[in-house]
Amino acid sequence: MEIIHDEEDTRFYMTLDGGEAELTYTITDNGHMDFDHTYVPEQHRGQGIADRLVKEGLEHARACKCMIVPSCPVVEAYVKRHKEYDDIVNWD
């Protein structure tokens, strides 16, 4: 399953049987990526799809030298479990 970054719609998503899974974000006034919402259709939950979307978003932010704001609880939990992203997380 391919993850697509739609910069115009500010989201990362993948098409699944029965819908789309997505990680949405906004760009803050100081240029940070604020990851604010994650959604996975109910029939696809528990398969690691949200983690894949979050990882893709974090890797994109790192490649662009952007800081991130983990507003979404799923993103917050992910970065707390994966300390390798501490350098790009803005907790303010």
Side-chain angles (χ1 to χ4, degrees), residues 25-35 66-69 90:
Y25 64 92
T26 58
I27 302 297
T28 66
D29 291 341
N30 54 4
H32 297 346
M33 293 180 78
D34 183 350
F35 292 110
C66 291
M67 295 294 289
I68 69 105
V69 179
N90 181 347

Side-chain angles (χ1 to χ4, degrees), residues 1-62:
M1 291 178 280
E2 179 186 6
I3 297 174
I4 299 163
H5 181 201
D6 183 344
E7 290 186 63
E8 189 173 303
D9 204 19
T10 60
R11 70 185 187 129
F12 294 87
Y13 72 96
M14 62 173 52
T15 302
L16 305 167
D17 292 334
E20 289 181 342
E22 70 176 358
L23 168 64
T24 64
Y25 64 92
T26 58
I27 302 297
T28 66
D29 291 341
N30 54 4
H32 297 346
M33 293 180 78
D34 183 350
F35 292 110
D36 54 15
H37 179 72
T38 306
Y39 174 76
V40 176
E42 192 170 334
Q43 67 269 31
H44 295 286
R45 293 179 186 167
Q47 300 173 23
I49 292 171
D51 280 358
R52 287 184 56 203
L53 289 166
V54 172
K55 182 176 180 174
E56 183 78 16
L58 293 170
E59 291 297 326
H60 173 80
R62 176 169 279 149

